Amino acid sequence: MALRHTYFSAAGFNPLPYIDRWLHPYRLTTTVTLRGRTVRIHWTDRALDAVANRTAPLYVEMQLYFSCVVKKRVLFYETLPASDFIVAGPRLHVRARTVESDICSPEDFAAGYPARRELSSAGAMRMVPRTLWLDYQGGQWVGEMAVGDP
């Protein structure tokens, strides 16, 4: 059977780009160096469009939060909260922080993640995320990170 008589022909509908986008939404990639380590940043087309439509930079903080449990958090800021962000692309700045909780109480932990201090020991400085995934869904920024290799 000739290719021109199938769904994959030039005149017909080709579903492969749609399937690829569905299976691999985080296909756009860049890398930055934080604390001497390479961090891969992946984002979707939606996130790329949302960043491109911004007039001010988006600041993304990857945070390892030590409390009763260890939590990985990705925080988004509209204005510059600190000066130690790295430029990851046009209008996209990132940083990584390792912080310690002020208290180990489930109520306080759930209410707002109170941080006592940023950890600056040699071990804490080696704790750098390896991968960051960014998306923009329903008017909200969504992010995930991985500390080890995925």
Side-chain angles (χ1 to χ4, degrees):
M1 183 161 145
L3 185 63
R4 66 175 185 248
H5 299 294
T6 68
Y7 282 113
F8 302 103
S9 66
F13 173 73
N14 185 353
L16 291 180
Y18 298 99
I19 293 170
D20 182 55
R21 216 174 306 158
W22 179 65
L23 292 175
H24 306 99
Y26 297 94
R27 48 197 183 91
L28 303 166
T29 305
T30 190
T31 59
V32 296
T33 302
L34 294 172
R35 299 185 200 152
R37 300 206 179 194
T38 301
V39 179
R40 291 182 310 272
I41 302 174
H42 305 279
W43 60 87
T44 62
D45 289 330
R46 289 183 301 257
L48 181 65
D49 291 343
V51 167
N53 291 330
R54 296 177 59 86
T55 56
L58 176 68
Y59 299 94
V60 181
E61 177 179 282
M62 297 170 284
Q63 191 178 84
L64 288 171
Y65 184 83
F66 287 87
S67 179
C68 306
V69 296
V70 177
K71 180 156 179 66
K72 297 182 294 185
R73 301 174 63 202
V74 178
L75 306 172
F76 299 92
Y77 301 103
E78 296 294 325
T79 59
L80 181 63
S83 61
D84 59 343
F85 281 81
I86 303 293
V87 176
R91 295 186 286 279
L92 179 64
H93 300 250
V94 297
R95 78 170 173 178
R97 289 180 63 209
T98 307
V99 297
E100 179 184 18
S101 172
D102 191 26
I103 190 166
C104 185
S105 162
E107 294 83 22
D108 291 336
F109 177 75
Y113 306 101
R116 174 171 50 181
R117 64 185 172 119
E118 185 169 355
L119 300 174
S120 59
S121 67
M125 290 288 113
R126 285 192 303 272
M127 291 184 210
V128 176
R130 298 292 185 176
T131 309
L132 172 65
W133 293 276
L134 298 175
D135 196 5
Y136 190 74
Q137 298 175 351
Q140 297 288 320
W141 286 101
V142 179
E144 278 188 55
M145 67 177 197
V147 178
D149 291 325

Short mmCIF file of all heavy atoms in Angstrom, two decimals, residues 72-103:
data_model
loop_
_atom_site.label_atom_id
_atom_site.label_comp_id
_atom_site.label_asym_id
_atom_site.label_seq_id
_atom_site.Cartn_x
_atom_site.Cartn_y
_atom_site.Cartn_z
N LYS A 72 10.25 18.99 48.30
CA LYS A 72 10.76 19.72 47.13
C LYS A 72 9.68 20.71 46.72
O LYS A 72 8.54 20.33 46.52
CB LYS A 72 11.06 18.76 45.98
CG LYS A 72 12.14 17.76 46.30
CD LYS A 72 12.44 16.87 45.11
CE LYS A 72 11.25 16.01 44.80
NZ LYS A 72 11.48 15.03 43.73
N ARG A 73 10.06 21.97 46.62
CA ARG A 73 9.10 23.01 46.24
C ARG A 73 9.64 23.80 45.06
O ARG A 73 10.84 24.04 44.96
CB ARG A 73 8.89 23.98 47.41
CG ARG A 73 8.38 23.32 48.67
CD ARG A 73 8.34 24.28 49.83
NE ARG A 73 7.39 25.36 49.57
CZ ARG A 73 7.43 26.54 50.18
NH1 ARG A 73 8.36 26.80 51.07
NH2 ARG A 73 6.55 27.46 49.89
N VAL A 74 8.73 24.20 44.18
CA VAL A 74 9.07 25.11 43.09
C VAL A 74 8.18 26.33 43.28
O VAL A 74 6.95 26.23 43.25
CB VAL A 74 8.84 24.48 41.71
CG1 VAL A 74 9.15 25.47 40.60
CG2 VAL A 74 9.71 23.23 41.55
N LEU A 75 8.81 27.47 43.54
CA LEU A 75 8.09 28.71 43.82
C LEU A 75 8.26 29.69 42.67
O LEU A 75 9.34 29.77 42.06
CB LEU A 75 8.62 29.34 45.12
CG LEU A 75 8.62 28.42 46.34
CD1 LEU A 75 9.33 29.08 47.50
CD2 LEU A 75 7.20 28.05 46.73
N PHE A 76 7.21 30.46 42.39
CA PHE A 76 7.23 31.42 41.30
C PHE A 76 7.01 32.81 41.87
O PHE A 76 6.11 33.03 42.66
CB PHE A 76 6.12 31.09 40.29
CG PHE A 76 6.29 29.74 39.66
CD1 PHE A 76 5.69 28.63 40.20
CD2 PHE A 76 7.08 29.59 38.53
CE1 PHE A 76 5.85 27.38 39.63
CE2 PHE A 76 7.26 28.35 37.96
CZ PHE A 76 6.63 27.24 38.51
N TYR A 77 7.86 33.76 41.45
CA TYR A 77 7.77 35.14 41.91
C TYR A 77 7.62 36.06 40.71
O TYR A 77 8.29 35.89 39.70
CB TYR A 77 9.03 35.54 42.69
CG TYR A 77 9.31 34.69 43.89
CD1 TYR A 77 10.30 33.72 43.85
CD2 TYR A 77 8.61 34.86 45.07
CE1 TYR A 77 10.58 32.94 44.96
CE2 TYR A 77 8.88 34.08 46.19
CZ TYR A 77 9.86 33.12 46.13
OH TYR A 77 10.13 32.34 47.22
N GLU A 78 6.77 37.05 40.86
CA GLU A 78 6.57 38.05 39.81
C GLU A 78 7.63 39.15 39.88
O GLU A 78 7.96 39.76 38.88
CB GLU A 78 5.17 38.66 39.92
CG GLU A 78 4.06 37.66 39.70
CD GLU A 78 4.02 37.12 38.27
OE1 GLU A 78 4.33 37.88 37.34
OE2 GLU A 78 3.69 35.94 38.10
N THR A 79 8.13 39.43 41.09
CA THR A 79 9.17 40.45 41.27
C THR A 79 10.39 39.80 41.87
O THR A 79 10.31 38.74 42.49
CB THR A 79 8.68 41.59 42.17
OG1 THR A 79 8.32 41.04 43.45
CG2 THR A 79 7.48 42.30 41.57
N LEU A 80 11.52 40.45 41.72
CA LEU A 80 12.80 39.90 42.19
C LEU A 80 12.83 39.86 43.72
O LEU A 80 12.91 40.89 44.37
CB LEU A 80 13.95 40.75 41.66
CG LEU A 80 15.35 40.32 42.03
CD1 LEU A 80 15.66 38.95 41.44
CD2 LEU A 80 16.37 41.32 41.53
N PRO A 81 12.79 38.64 44.33
CA PRO A 81 12.83 38.54 45.79
C PRO A 81 14.25 38.60 46.37
O PRO A 81 14.42 38.91 47.53
CB PRO A 81 12.19 37.19 46.07
CG PRO A 81 12.47 36.38 44.85
CD PRO A 81 12.53 37.35 43.71
N ALA A 82 15.25 38.27 45.58
CA ALA A 82 16.65 38.29 46.02
C ALA A 82 17.52 38.46 44.79
O ALA A 82 17.05 38.39 43.66
CB ALA A 82 16.99 37.00 46.75
N SER A 83 18.79 38.67 45.01
CA SER A 83 19.67 39.00 43.88
C SER A 83 20.46 37.81 43.35
O SER A 83 21.25 37.97 42.43
CB SER A 83 20.64 40.09 44.30
OG SER A 83 21.44 39.64 45.37
N ASP A 84 20.28 36.62 43.89
CA ASP A 84 21.12 35.49 43.50
C ASP A 84 20.48 34.58 42.45
O ASP A 84 20.77 33.40 42.39
CB ASP A 84 21.54 34.68 44.72
CG ASP A 84 20.36 34.14 45.50
OD1 ASP A 84 19.23 34.63 45.31
OD2 ASP A 84 20.57 33.23 46.31
N PHE A 85 19.63 35.13 41.60
CA PHE A 85 19.03 34.35 40.53
C PHE A 85 19.95 34.31 39.32
O PHE A 85 20.70 35.24 39.06
CB PHE A 85 17.67 34.95 40.12
CG PHE A 85 16.55 34.59 41.05
CD1 PHE A 85 16.38 35.29 42.23
CD2 PHE A 85 15.68 33.57 40.75
CE1 PHE A 85 15.35 34.97 43.10
CE2 PHE A 85 14.65 33.24 41.61
CZ PHE A 85 14.48 33.94 42.79
N ILE A 86 19.89 33.21 38.57
CA ILE A 86 20.69 33.01 37.37
C ILE A 86 19.76 33.16 36.16
O ILE A 86 18.64 32.65 36.17
CB ILE A 86 21.32 31.59 37.36
CG1 ILE A 86 22.16 31.35 38.59
CG2 ILE A 86 22.09 31.34 36.08
CD1 ILE A 86 23.39 32.20 38.68
N VAL A 87 20.22 33.82 35.13
CA VAL A 87 19.42 33.97 33.92
C VAL A 87 19.40 32.63 33.18
O VAL A 87 20.45 32.10 32.83
CB VAL A 87 19.98 35.08 33.02
CG1 VAL A 87 19.19 35.17 31.71
CG2 VAL A 87 19.96 36.41 33.74
N ALA A 88 18.19 32.10 32.96
CA ALA A 88 18.05 30.82 32.26
C ALA A 88 17.54 31.02 30.84
O ALA A 88 17.53 30.08 30.06
CB ALA A 88 17.09 29.91 33.03
N GLY A 89 17.10 32.20 30.53
CA GLY A 89 16.58 32.50 29.20
C GLY A 89 15.94 33.87 29.22
O GLY A 89 15.89 34.52 30.27
N PRO A 90 15.42 34.30 28.09
CA PRO A 90 14.75 35.60 28.07
C PRO A 90 13.57 35.60 29.05
O PRO A 90 12.69 34.76 28.96
CB PRO A 90 14.26 35.73 26.63
CG PRO A 90 15.08 34.77 25.85
CD PRO A 90 15.44 33.66 26.78
N ARG A 91 13.60 36.49 29.99
CA ARG A 91 12.54 36.67 30.99
C ARG A 91 12.33 35.45 31.88
O ARG A 91 11.25 35.25 32.41
CB ARG A 91 11.24 37.08 30.32
CG ARG A 91 11.33 38.44 29.66
CD ARG A 91 10.02 38.91 29.12
NE ARG A 91 9.60 38.25 27.90
CZ ARG A 91 10.01 38.54 26.67
NH1 ARG A 91 10.87 39.50 26.51
NH2 ARG A 91 9.56 37.91 25.63
N LEU A 92 13.36 34.61 32.06
CA LEU A 92 13.28 33.47 32.97
C LEU A 92 14.56 33.42 33.80
O LEU A 92 15.66 33.33 33.26
CB LEU A 92 13.10 32.16 32.21
CG LEU A 92 13.03 30.89 33.05
CD1 LEU A 92 11.79 30.91 33.96
CD2 LEU A 92 13.02 29.66 32.19
N HIS A 93 14.41 33.51 35.12
CA HIS A 93 15.53 33.48 36.05
C HIS A 93 15.26 32.38 37.08
O HIS A 93 14.12 32.21 37.52
CB HIS A 93 15.68 34.82 36.77
CG HIS A 93 15.91 35.96 35.84
ND1 HIS A 93 17.11 36.61 35.77
CD2 HIS A 93 15.11 36.58 34.94
CE1 HIS A 93 17.04 37.57 34.86
NE2 HIS A 93 15.83 37.57 34.35
N VAL A 94 16.30 31.64 37.48
CA VAL A 94 16.14 30.54 38.42
C VAL A 94 17.18 30.61 39.53
O VAL A 94 18.23 31.25 39.37
CB VAL A 94 16.23 29.16 37.72
CG1 VAL A 94 15.12 28.97 36.70
CG2 VAL A 94 17.59 28.96 37.08
N ARG A 95 16.88 29.96 40.63
CA ARG A 95 17.86 29.77 41.71
C ARG A 95 17.46 28.53 42.49
O ARG A 95 16.34 28.04 42.41
CB ARG A 95 17.95 30.98 42.62
CG ARG A 95 16.84 31.09 43.64
CD ARG A 95 17.14 32.16 44.65
NE ARG A 95 16.01 32.38 45.53
CZ ARG A 95 16.03 33.23 46.53
NH1 ARG A 95 17.10 33.94 46.77
NH2 ARG A 95 14.97 33.38 47.30
N ALA A 96 18.42 28.03 43.27
CA ALA A 96 18.18 26.87 44.13
C ALA A 96 18.53 27.26 45.56
O ALA A 96 19.53 27.93 45.79
CB ALA A 96 19.02 25.68 43.68
N ARG A 97 17.70 26.84 46.50
CA ARG A 97 17.94 27.10 47.92
C ARG A 97 17.66 25.84 48.72
O ARG A 97 16.77 25.07 48.39
CB ARG A 97 17.03 28.21 48.43
CG ARG A 97 17.38 29.57 47.90
CD ARG A 97 16.46 30.64 48.43
NE ARG A 97 16.58 30.75 49.88
CZ ARG A 97 15.59 31.15 50.68
NH1 ARG A 97 14.41 31.44 50.19
NH2 ARG A 97 15.78 31.25 51.98
N THR A 98 18.41 25.66 49.79
CA THR A 98 18.19 24.61 50.75
C THR A 98 17.90 25.30 52.07
O THR A 98 18.76 26.00 52.60
CB THR A 98 19.43 23.70 50.88
OG1 THR A 98 19.80 23.25 49.57
CG2 THR A 98 19.14 22.51 51.76
N VAL A 99 16.68 25.12 52.60
CA VAL A 99 16.29 25.84 53.81
C VAL A 99 15.85 24.86 54.89
O VAL A 99 15.44 23.74 54.62
CB VAL A 99 15.17 26.87 53.54
CG1 VAL A 99 15.64 27.94 52.58
CG2 VAL A 99 13.92 26.21 53.03
N GLU A 100 15.94 25.34 56.12
CA GLU A 100 15.53 24.57 57.29
C GLU A 100 14.26 25.21 57.87
O GLU A 100 14.14 26.43 57.93
CB GLU A 100 16.64 24.61 58.33
CG GLU A 100 16.32 23.88 59.61
CD GLU A 100 17.41 24.02 60.65
OE1 GLU A 100 18.25 24.93 60.52
OE2 GLU A 100 17.41 23.22 61.59
N SER A 101 13.36 24.36 58.30
CA SER A 101 12.11 24.83 58.87
C SER A 101 12.34 25.49 60.23
O SER A 101 13.26 25.14 60.96
CB SER A 101 11.15 23.65 59.05
OG SER A 101 10.00 24.04 59.76
N ASP A 102 11.47 26.42 60.54
CA ASP A 102 11.51 27.09 61.83
C ASP A 102 10.99 26.18 62.93
O ASP A 102 11.44 26.25 64.06
CB ASP A 102 10.67 28.37 61.75
CG ASP A 102 10.86 29.27 62.94
OD1 ASP A 102 11.94 29.20 63.55
OD2 ASP A 102 9.94 30.04 63.25
N ILE A 103 10.03 25.33 62.61
CA ILE A 103 9.40 24.48 63.61
C ILE A 103 8.94 23.19 62.94
O ILE A 103 8.69 23.17 61.74
CB ILE A 103 8.20 25.22 64.26
CG1 ILE A 103 7.69 24.47 65.45
CG2 ILE A 103 7.12 25.47 63.24
CD1 ILE A 103 6.75 25.30 66.31
#
